[in-house]
């Protein structure tokens, strides 16, 4: 049998040592009436070659982005990933380890996580970071719960321009704890401080949640002012950010955020149909002891040499149980490790080049598309990073998807897929990352032109 | 074992009280700090907080355990030992003196009479250890 | 700055210490579009003052750094990893090879259904197979880990009570967990807004049914239980327990952490459970990744299905097509972005396909054989409570006697094992056993490995009585000596900071 080592005679020897004749004797504590039938309706076992063939054939039933040129983002981005990222992060010593409970034989993972925490602090401009959350959306939900804990309040004010799935996750996590999620309306795709001023005063929220670049790709210009309103009324500012954009865009720390979260997918995780990625969470120092999740700290060993251990474990579920800051146990360390490798390989200059390439590609694309008749840029005056919204009047999403697929493109995301308000009916979120070449962009413009003609 | 000062009073949750006039200084006992191990963090109350006898008012943490500190007497906190923020080890090194946690203006000084004397406490600790 | 993996003071260099101003690693794609970048094109309020402080390294610097770090890390591929409750079994390489195919790796989550039929088929089949193995009706593959699945399970319990008895739902405010439970159980219950009530274990290491009866009532929302429990013992009274909870109107939640002991042998549904979570990174062999990612599937009985999150995959036999079906109106809502940890789900699918039902049953049988074998061999040197009957996939030994006689702790024995080329068992858990050493050998370990482990632990115990100081200061042959956890927690250093404080363009990185 696959993966099971014992020969028949070894099994005999082991049973003999136990004074048993057969393994079933070890299951006498299970009432026989509870035993399930032999045939559970599972498919028969496969040899490795057969499994490989089957998996290959199913993979071939997908049209992946080596065959489709991707202009779709919305929270998952087709990014360049250096080959060294997988080669290092997937080394078996990292891949087949678990949480570093025995620190002395887990120094590789612990140091890598400590360095990761340092990198996230440097990117976000905040003081402390944990060593990963599951994803950006649950990281946000945890940040919101932290804010409600700190302030003793139960309302959060969430920008209308937040990724809708992030909002849904905040609602799920918050519902059980009596957290009310209120909307901070967006105007022309942007969240404005005017709105915030009156709403924060009326609602006295635990936190204001902004995303920048927001779901529509727009960089929120009023972030600092909105944070000031939140603070003036005793609430926190939580920012959801794209880590790549932070090479060129003001950091959450500079903008006055108390907490920053986001998806780490762009930092070296392949798209993989939505996961696994990881979420990052960084905070100002004063919230350190309320952070969820694992945190690695520096120390020394018995000879005085630098080493690393899990720190502040008393926050966590395995010690504080129902009073823990979160129930998180298994995290997404491997994605965080990949991110640390990615950031090390690119360095400050490389990351800046990635960010500026996104910015340039997307702005070139927007400029050209904006010239086409039948294409309307929805928020033409808003500053954006790598995504923007188009209106294609009178086109239905299915038709648009198919038109692009026929030409070898994964075209823009019909916003009606995620937003039910009819105002998004014929709008599309376009994305051009650093992975797109000028030729690809020009061809995409041409296909769009033909479609709207 | 460090001596338990005769002039202090002790609670069964292992806090000590040193009374002077209407004020009481509070800390955890030598026995408690030994059970806890190396203290790495003390979550201190704030001056002005009101504490109630029998209710937790501070938290003392070691690397892998968390213990509530229960108020032996009721009152308003008038001072806290800020040194513990930077040097939580004071609780281990000097539990009955430099490792004090806070001082209260007692609202019901009669509560002190409910607490154990040093001898009574020592006897109760001895039986607990057995 | 250092190009080697040995710093001057014997410490392994940090990424930041290897940095050389101006050095470049991998060059990202260069765009040629005729639009120039200039920070001035961003509104002033949005400009980053300086590029983030990242290390400046060559590709080889980075490769050496992480290759060296990996050599300072223990994993299943290097040796035995009997970390109890974590099921550190072998992670088959073919599953990694499959997951690495571009046909999966290069799929965007928002692609049209027709372009992801293979991926949807994987999700459909995995849900079907996991339902078959648990006896449940429907499952969601969305939760990212066991703890997130627990939170979801508890939200389902809440939704169930609100739906069926809205007038009294608020009264059902308590979740019962055994005193031997994983910390995630009470933490998840609290996260779902419940009070936690602890039911005692009896002198046989099982849920004290009498105590349970005292605890249940109209305030009971449900019970969370792992079976076999964290002592590795099968809860023989499970049917009675289910009856008690159901009679009180509560629901029964199965924590699947220990499913490896009984997969293919007993189904949680047949034991009376209403909700099951599965840790695919445990029973279904997906790698633990140094802490994650995992995946935590939730499977439920028919009455709970309407509350599951969406979307889920459905199959249209007429068209031979798979498609997404959005969550229904009663859903408790979404737990994460997109659909779940697809890469993890795919590996679990491959594992199930490679073994089939018979193979999975053999997995459980062998895991139990291995645990019982180790336990029997260790009983001479360590106390093993509750050894009057077979254990399941794991067992808990107690170093209480060692502690009493030498002052050493279970953790000291653990460090001694590290010196002998073994990862340690889980230490100091479950809380109801003093000086606990929780061993889970898993089915993929050979007789020779088990014998060597038993020998090593016997040596360590012997050492405890003869040269306790040797253990008090262990490990001696690991990459570092015993680490000072007290210092780490008293004087928190949780990130690198430039020293002395950086000024000028070098340490700050170039201006974008």
């Amino acid at each position: 049998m696959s993966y099971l080592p014992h020969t028949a005679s070894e099994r005999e020897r082991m049973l003999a040592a136990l004074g048993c004749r057969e393994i079933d004797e070890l299951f006498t504590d299970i009432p026989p009436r509870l035993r399930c039938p032999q045939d559970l309706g599972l498919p028969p076992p496969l040899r490795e070659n057969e499994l490989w063939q089957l998996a290959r054939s199913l993979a071939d039933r997908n049209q992946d982005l080596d065959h489709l040129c991707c202009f779709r983002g919305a929270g998952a981005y087709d990014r360049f990933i250096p080959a060294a990222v997988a080669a290092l992060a997937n080394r078996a010593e990292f891949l087949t380890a678990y949480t570093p409970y025995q620190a002395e034989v887990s120094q590789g993972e612990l140091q890598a996580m400590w360095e990761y925490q340092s990198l996230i602090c440097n990117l976000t401009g905040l003081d402390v970071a944990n060593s990963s959350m599951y994803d950006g959306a649950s990281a946000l939900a945890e940040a919101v719960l932290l804010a409600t804990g700190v302030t003793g309040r139960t309302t959060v004010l969430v920008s209308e321009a937040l990724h809708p799935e992030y909002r849904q996750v905040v609602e799920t996590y918050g519902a059980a704890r009596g957290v009310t999620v209120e909307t901070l309306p967006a105007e022309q795709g942007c969240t404005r401080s005017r709105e915030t001023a009156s709403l924060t005063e009326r609602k006295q929220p635990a936190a204001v949640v902004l995303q920048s670049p927001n779901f529509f790709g727009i960089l929120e210009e009023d972030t600092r002012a909105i944070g000031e309103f939140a603070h003036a009324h005793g609430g926190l500012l939580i920012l959801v950010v794209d880590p790549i954009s932070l090479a060129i865009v003001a950091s959450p720390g500079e903008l006055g955020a108390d907490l920053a979260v986001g998806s780490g997918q762009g930092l070296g995780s392949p798209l993989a149909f939505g996961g696994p990625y990881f979420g990052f969470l960084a905070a100002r120092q004063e919230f350190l002891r309320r952070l969820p999740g694992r945190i690695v700290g520096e120390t020394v060993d018995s000879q005085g040499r630098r080493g690393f251990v899990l720190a502040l474990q008393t926050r966590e579920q395995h010690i504080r149980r129902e009073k823990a800051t979160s129930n998180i146990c298994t995290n997404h360390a491997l994605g965080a490790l990949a991110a640390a490798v990615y950031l090390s390989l690119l360095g400050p200059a490389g990351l800046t080049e990635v960010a500026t390439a996104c910015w340039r590609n997307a702005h070139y694309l927007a400029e050209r598309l904006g010239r086409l008749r039948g294409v309307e840029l929805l928020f033409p005056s808003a500053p954006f990073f790598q995504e923007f919204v188009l209106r294609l009047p009178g086109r239905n999403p299915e038709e648009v998807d198919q038109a692009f697929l026929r030409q070898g493109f994964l075209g823009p995301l019909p916003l009606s897929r995620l937003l039910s308000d009819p105002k998004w009916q014929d709008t599309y979120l376009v994305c051009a990352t650093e992975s797109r070449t000028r030729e690809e962009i020009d061809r995409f413009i041409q296909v769009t032109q033909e479609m709207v003609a | 074992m460090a001596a338990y000062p005769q002039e202090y009073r002790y609670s069964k949750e292992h806090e000590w009280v040193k009374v002077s006039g209407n004020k009481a200084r509070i800390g955890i006992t030598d026995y408690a700090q030994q059970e806890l191990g190396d203290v790495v963090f003390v979550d201190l109350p704030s001056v002005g907080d009101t504490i109630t006898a029998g209710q937790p008012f501070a938290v003392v943490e070691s690397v892998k355990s968390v213990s509530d500190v229960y108020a032996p007497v009721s009152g308003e906190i008038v001072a806290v030992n800020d040194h513990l923020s930077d040097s939580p080890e004071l609780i281990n090194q000097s539990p009955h003196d430099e490792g004090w946690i806070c001082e209260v203006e007692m609202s019901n000084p009669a509560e002190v009479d409910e607490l154990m004397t040093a001898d009574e406490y020592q006897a109760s600790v001895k039986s607990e250890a057995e | 700055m250092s190009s080697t993996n040995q710093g001057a003071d014997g410490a392994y260099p940090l990424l930041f210490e290897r940095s050389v101003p101006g050095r470049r690693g991998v060059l990202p794609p260069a765009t040629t579009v005729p639009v120039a970048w200039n920070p001035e094109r961003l509104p002033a309020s949005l400009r980053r003052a300086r590029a983030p402080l990242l290390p400046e390294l060559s590709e080889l610097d980075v490769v050496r750094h992480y290759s060296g770090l990996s050599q300072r890390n223990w994993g299943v591929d290097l040796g035995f990893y009997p970390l109890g409750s974590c099921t550190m079994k072998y992670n088959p390489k073919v599953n990694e090879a499959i997951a690495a195919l571009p046909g999966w790796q290069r799929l965007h989550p928002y692609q049209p259904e027709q372009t992801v039929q293979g991926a949807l088929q994987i999700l459909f089949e995995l849900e079907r197979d996991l339902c078959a193995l648990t006896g449940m009706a429907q499952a969601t593959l969305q939760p990212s880990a066991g703890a997130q699945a627990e939170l979801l399970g508890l939200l389902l319990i809440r939704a169930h009570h609100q739906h069926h008895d809205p007038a009294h739902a608020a009264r059902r405010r308590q979740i019962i967990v055994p005193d031997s439970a994983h910390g995630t159980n009470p933490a998840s219950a609290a996260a779902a807004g419940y009070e936690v009530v602890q039911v005692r274990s009896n002198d046989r290491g099982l849920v004290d049914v009498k105590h349970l009866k005292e605890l249940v009532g109209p305030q009971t929302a449900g019970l969370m239980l792992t079976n076999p429990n964290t002592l590795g013992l099968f809860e023989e009274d499970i049917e009675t327990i289910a009856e008690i909870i159901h009679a009180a109107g509560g629901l029964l939640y199965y924590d699947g952490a220990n499913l490896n002991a009984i997969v293919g042998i007993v189904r949680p549904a047949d034991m009376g459970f209403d909700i099951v979570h599965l840790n695919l990174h445990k029973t279904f062999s997906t790698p633990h990744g140094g802490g994650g990612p995992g995946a935590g599937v939730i499977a439920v009985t028919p009455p709970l299905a309407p509350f599951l999150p969406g979307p889920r995959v459905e199959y249209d036999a007429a068209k031979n097509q798979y498609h997404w079906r959005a969550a229904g109106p009663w859903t408790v809502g979404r737990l994460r972005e997109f659909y779940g940890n697809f890469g993890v789900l795919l590996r679990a699918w491959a594992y199930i396909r490679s073994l089939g039902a018979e193979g999975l049953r053999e997995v459980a049988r062998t895991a139990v054989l291995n645990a019982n074998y180790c336990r029997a061999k260790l009983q001479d040197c360590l106390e093993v409570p509750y050894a009057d009957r077979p254990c399941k996939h794991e067992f808990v030994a107690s170093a209480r006697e060692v502690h009493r006689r030498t002052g050493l702790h279970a953790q000291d024995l653990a460090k001694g094992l590290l010196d002998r080329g073994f990862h340690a068992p889980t230490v100091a858990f479950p809380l109801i056993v003093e000086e606990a050493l929780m061993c889970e050998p898993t089915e993929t370990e050979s007789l020779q490995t088990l014998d060597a482990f038993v020998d090593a632990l016997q040596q360590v115990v012997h050492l405890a009585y003869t040269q306790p100081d040797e253990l008090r200061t262990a490990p001696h042959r690991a990459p570092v000596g015993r680490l000072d956890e007290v210092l780490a927690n008293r004087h928190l250093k949780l990130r690198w900071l430039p020293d002395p404080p950086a000024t000028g363009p070098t340490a700050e990185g170039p201006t974008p």
Side-chain angles (χ1 to χ4, degrees):
Chain A
M1 197 67 74
S2 294
Y3 317 129
L4 301 180
H6 304 325
T7 64
S9 75
E10 285 175 330
R11 200 175 301 122
E12 295 301 312
R13 268 167 58 200
M14 294 174 75
L15 284 168
L18 295 171
C20 294
R21 262 198 302 258
E22 44 186 324
I23 294 181
D24 271 344
E25 290 174 45
L26 301 173
F27 286 89
T28 49
D29 50 350
I30 301 183
R33 62 185 171 279
L34 292 183
R35 298 292 197 96
C36 61
Q38 295 282 311
D39 180 13
L40 290 172
L42 256 56
L46 301 174
R47 297 245 167 157
E48 180 166 329
N49 62 311
E50 297 167 321
L51 175 65
W52 176 250
Q53 286 303 329
L54 174 64
R56 279 281 305 266
S57 72
L58 289 177
D60 287 346
R61 291 195 64 194
N62 300 321
Q63 277 179 278
D64 64 66
L65 298 188
D66 286 344
H67 300 95
L68 293 172
C69 183
C70 181
F71 283 81
R72 193 166 288 198
Y77 300 98
D78 180 19
R79 296 219 177 279
F80 161 72
I81 304 176
V85 173
L88 295 172
N90 290 339
R91 285 179 69 97
E93 299 85 347
F94 294 128
L95 187 70
T96 69
Y98 190 38
T99 304
Y101 294 119
Q102 291 294 339
E104 293 84 2
V105 293
S106 310
Q107 284 300 292
E109 181 71 32
L110 284 161
Q111 180 170 335
M113 287 303 99
W114 188 87
E115 291 171 345
Y116 159 83
Q117 290 168 192
S118 308
L119 293 166
I120 292 297
C121 288
N122 292 353
L123 267 184
T124 56
L126 289 168
D127 306 318
V128 289
N130 74 10
S131 74
S132 78
M133 307 298 290
Y134 308 132
D135 64 346
S138 69
L140 173 60
E142 293 272 16
V144 164
L145 292 180
L146 189 158
T148 60
V150 168
T151 58
R153 299 175 176 182
T154 54
T155 300
V156 288
L157 209 46
V158 168
S159 162
E160 189 187 353
L162 173 69
H163 193 300
E165 291 188 356
Y166 280 50
R167 170 161 183 149
Q168 289 161 25
V169 174
V170 170
E171 286 172 348
T172 307
Y173 271 70
R177 302 269 284 263
V179 175
T180 310
V181 181
E182 301 258 8
T183 303
L184 185 55
E187 185 185 307
Q188 285 297 301
C190 307
T191 321
R192 290 299 177 192
S193 51
R194 282 194 305 282
E195 250 76 33
T196 321
S198 63
L199 270 170
T200 45
E201 189 170 356
R202 278 212 326 275
K203 304 283 182 187
Q204 297 286 308
V208 175
V209 176
L210 279 192
Q211 183 176 17
S212 180
N214 67 23
F215 181 58
F216 308 115
I218 296 169
L219 293 161
E220 295 280 9
E221 282 183 89
D222 287 2
T223 302
R224 206 184 302 258
I226 289 170
E228 281 162 14
F229 285 122
H231 290 149
H233 294 283
L236 308 186
L237 174 64
I238 302 174
L239 266 191
V240 183
V241 291
D242 178 328
I244 297 291
S245 74
L246 294 181
I248 55 174
V249 174
S251 70
E254 290 173 284
L255 294 172
D258 299 284
L259 291 144
V261 297
S263 169
Q265 181 268 327
L267 304 174
S269 292
L271 283 165
F273 203 43
Y277 310 150
F278 76 96
F280 58 86
L281 191 158
R284 288 201 288 116
Q285 182 73 30
E286 64 181 287
F287 305 118
L288 171 63
R289 288 179 189 273
R290 290 180 180 264
L291 289 190
R294 317 267 188 225
I295 299 175
V296 177
E298 186 186 319
T299 188
V300 296
D301 77 353
S302 46
Q303 274 116 69
R305 291 174 299 192
R306 178 174 58 211
F308 300 90
V309 295
L310 293 174
L312 295 166
Q313 290 189 65
T314 47
R315 296 166 300 111
E316 294 192 67
Q317 46 76 30
H318 60 284
I319 292 176
R320 225 182 197 118
R321 298 175 78 85
E322 65 266 28
K323 289 182 183 159
T325 54
S326 163
N327 69 338
I328 190 170
C329 176
T330 291
N331 58 17
H332 279 39
L334 196 65
L337 172 66
V341 176
Y342 173 90
L343 289 169
S344 310
L345 286 166
L346 286 177
L351 193 72
T352 304
E353 284 179 14
V354 172
T356 54
C358 291
W359 191 93
R360 291 173 62 195
N361 283 346
H363 283 75
Y364 171 66
L365 177 60
E367 199 174 285
R368 296 299 160 99
L369 287 176
R371 294 182 198 166
L372 301 181
R373 278 171 55 167
V375 176
E376 185 190 323
L377 295 182
L378 207 56
F379 309 121
S381 58
F384 65 98
F385 177 53
Q386 61 185 358
E387 285 176 284
F388 53 92
V389 181
L390 292 181
R391 187 187 295 283
L392 300 174
R395 308 273 151 191
N396 82 55
E398 189 58 22
E399 180 195 323
V400 172
D401 261 355
Q402 295 307 323
F404 280 114
L405 285 176
R406 276 195 298 276
Q407 301 297 324
F409 289 97
L410 177 60
L413 178 76
L415 284 178
S416 54
R417 294 259 166 88
L418 295 182
L419 299 171
S420 54
D421 190 316
K423 72 181 171 188
W424 303 110
Q425 195 109 55
D426 43 15
T427 62
Y428 296 82
L429 184 62
V430 193
C431 177
T433 66
E434 80 282 8
S435 300
R436 297 287 68 81
T437 63
R438 179 173 181 183
E439 293 67 35
E440 289 169 339
I441 296 170
D442 285 339
R443 211 155 56 78
F444 178 82
I445 293 163
Q446 198 188 334
V447 171
T448 311
Q449 185 169 19
E450 285 160 12
M451 185 178 62
V452 295
Chain B
M1 189 188 287
Y4 291 101
Q6 286 295 329
E7 68 277 22
Y8 291 12
R9 289 291 175 275
Y10 301 86
S11 74
K12 60 180 190 304
E13 288 94 5
H14 310 288
E15 289 84 24
W16 55 259
V17 182
K18 180 188 182 187
V19 179
S20 66
N22 212 31
K23 285 202 181 125
R25 186 171 268 207
I26 300 170
I28 69 169
T29 67
D30 183 53
Y31 176 82
Q33 71 81 16
Q34 281 188 38
E35 286 291 294
L36 207 56
D38 294 313
V39 174
V40 299
F41 177 65
V42 185
D43 195 358
L44 291 165
S46 307
V47 171
D49 286 358
T50 305
I51 65 173
T52 310
Q55 299 296 313
F57 72 96
V59 176
V60 181
E61 297 185 5
S62 66
V63 172
K64 282 176 188 164
S65 73
V66 183
S67 297
D68 283 326
V69 183
Y70 293 87
V73 292
S74 308
E76 188 187 317
I77 294 179
V78 292
V80 297
N81 186 359
D82 289 327
H83 294 304
L84 294 178
S85 308
D86 291 328
S87 306
E89 58 271 24
L90 287 174
I91 288 202
N92 297 115
Q93 291 162 2
S94 175
H96 299 151
D97 184 17
E98 287 178 68
W100 66 279
I101 293 173
C102 67
E103 220 164 69
V104 296
E105 180 81 34
M106 287 187 283
S107 54
N108 181 8
E111 285 167 348
V112 173
D113 300 334
E114 307 291 314
L115 300 170
M116 287 178 268
T117 64
D119 292 344
E120 286 165 348
Y121 180 69
Q122 205 143 5
S124 90
V125 164
K126 209 172 153 212
S127 70
E128 194 163 314
E130 274 160 10
Chain C
M1 165 180 131
S2 168
S3 62
T4 73
N5 283 341
Q6 187 75 29
D9 57 351
Y12 192 88
L14 300 174
L15 271 178
F16 304 95
E17 292 167 349
R18 296 174 188 264
S19 181
V20 176
R23 186 172 282 175
R24 294 291 305 265
V26 175
L27 302 180
T31 183
T32 55
V33 295
V35 168
W37 161 252
N38 178 345
E40 309 273 300
R41 299 203 47 180
L42 283 178
S45 64
L46 287 174
R47 282 176 223 151
R48 185 160 184 138
R50 282 184 297 270
L53 193 44
L54 303 177
E56 297 174 80
L57 303 162
S58 72
E59 180 167 337
L60 180 56
D61 290 338
V62 177
V63 169
R64 291 252 167 87
H65 181 72
Y66 285 100
S67 299
L69 282 181
S70 77
Q71 292 181 324
R72 295 161 69 80
N73 220 55
W74 189 257
V76 174
D77 281 10
L78 293 181
F80 194 43
Y81 208 131
L83 194 65
S85 240
C86 299
T87 315
M88 301 301 288
K89 63 170 73 177
Y90 171 62
N91 313 130
K93 297 299 172 196
V94 63
N95 301 350
E96 297 306 308
I98 287 169
L101 289 168
W104 313 114
Q105 293 252 314
R106 304 266 301 132
L107 285 188
H108 191 283
Y110 289 145
Q111 286 190 215
E113 287 168 355
Q114 71 189 94
T115 67
V116 291
Q117 284 294 303
L120 296 180
Q121 185 173 340
I122 295 286
L123 297 176
F124 180 83
E125 291 187 359
L126 182 63
E127 181 186 341
R128 178 198 65 197
D129 293 349
L130 294 174
C131 284
L133 287 166
T134 54
M136 295 288 163
Q138 280 188 25
T140 172
L141 309 176
Q142 204 176 92
S144 313
Q148 197 178 42
E150 289 179 22
L151 173 61
L152 171 58
L154 290 154
L155 296 178
L156 295 174
I157 291 177
R158 179 180 289 278
H160 166 91
H161 292 312
Q162 270 164 0
H163 188 79
H164 293 286
D165 189 8
H168 299 109
R171 197 167 69 173
R172 294 197 181 275
R173 62 182 191 279
Q174 292 183 347
I175 289 290
I176 304 174
V177 302
D179 54 8
S180 60
H182 299 119
T184 49
N185 288 178
S188 300
Y194 282 111
E195 284 169 29
V196 179
V197 180
Q198 211 160 275
V199 60
R200 281 193 300 266
S201 301
N202 62 22
D203 55 6
R204 302 188 68 226
L206 305 176
V207 168
D208 183 335
V209 171
K210 202 170 144 257
H211 189 218
L212 181 64
K213 279 183 186 153
E214 291 163 24
L215 293 178
V216 296
Q219 75 285 4
T220 304
L223 168 74
M224 299 178 87
L225 194 64
T226 176
N227 195 13
N229 65 23
T230 58
L231 296 167
L233 302 173
F234 190 82
E235 295 281 356
E236 297 168 20
D237 299 323
I238 183 59
E239 293 159 290
T240 314
I241 293 169
E243 237 176 77
I244 294 169
I245 296 298
H246 288 149
L251 294 180
L252 206 58
Y253 178 96
Y254 184 83
D255 173 341
N258 297 342
L259 186 78
N260 207 46
I262 58 162
V263 61
I265 294 175
V266 200
R267 292 179 299 199
D270 298 328
M271 293 190 261
F273 287 94
D274 305 287
I275 301 171
V276 176
H277 97 241
L278 302 173
N279 301 92
L280 299 188
H281 48 293
K282 295 182 180 176
T283 315
F284 299 97
S285 87
T286 73
H288 282 68
V297 171
I298 281 277
V300 296
T301 53
L304 288 155
F307 307 116
L308 287 176
R312 293 171 49 248
V313 178
E314 285 188 339
Y315 178 57
D316 182 339
K319 292 187 190 153
N320 186 25
Q321 268 180 12
Y322 296 89
H323 58 87
W324 288 118
R325 187 190 172 102
W330 296 340
T331 177
V332 298
R334 177 180 273 286
L335 285 152
R336 55 162 291 152
E337 57 207 40
F338 311 120
Y339 322 113
N341 282 338
F342 179 79
V344 178
L345 302 171
L346 174 64
R347 288 168 172 88
W349 170 89
Y351 182 71
I352 293 171
R353 292 308 295 263
S354 65
L355 290 169
E358 186 51 40
L360 287 168
R361 192 172 301 126
E362 212 45 49
V363 161
R365 287 158 53 87
T366 310
V368 169
L369 174 65
N370 282 1
N372 278 281
Y373 179 80
C374 281
R375 187 179 73 162
K377 290 264 178 172
L378 281 172
Q379 267 171 318
D380 296 339
C381 71
L382 281 174
E383 210 178 329
V384 182
Y386 316 111
D388 57 324
R389 67 214 115 112
C391 65
K392 293 278 91 55
H393 64 304
E394 68 190 358
F395 64 93
V396 180
S398 168
R400 187 169 61 172
E401 185 63 15
V402 173
H403 176 61
R404 202 180 59 76
R405 287 171 52 189
T406 66
L408 292 174
H409 291 282
Q411 185 69 275
D412 298 308
L413 303 188
K415 302 299 182 196
L417 278 170
L418 305 183
D419 271 342
R420 283 157 184 78
F422 296 93
H423 196 280
T426 295
V427 172
F429 184 83
L431 308 173
I432 59 170
V433 175
E434 269 178 71
E435 301 294 338
L437 288 159
M438 185 190 210
C439 303
E440 182 180 8
T442 82
E443 74 282 0
T444 52
E445 297 299 335
S446 70
L447 176 57
Q448 292 72 28
T449 302
L450 301 181
D451 280 339
F453 171 69
V454 168
D455 275 354
L457 193 47
Q458 282 167 342
Q459 282 172 29
V460 169
V461 172
H462 179 72
L463 202 62
Y465 291 122
T466 52
Q467 299 170 55
D469 283 342
E470 175 82 13
L471 286 179
R472 203 163 277 130
T473 53
H476 305 282
R477 286 175 284 280
V480 291
R482 184 79 70 102
L483 290 157
D484 188 340
E485 293 191 277
V486 173
L487 177 76
N489 283 284
R490 276 187 183 157
H491 301 286
L492 295 166
K493 284 172 89 172
L494 308 176
R495 63 177 292 195
W496 173 81
L497 286 168
D499 180 38
T503 50
T506 298
E508 302 287 346
T511 302

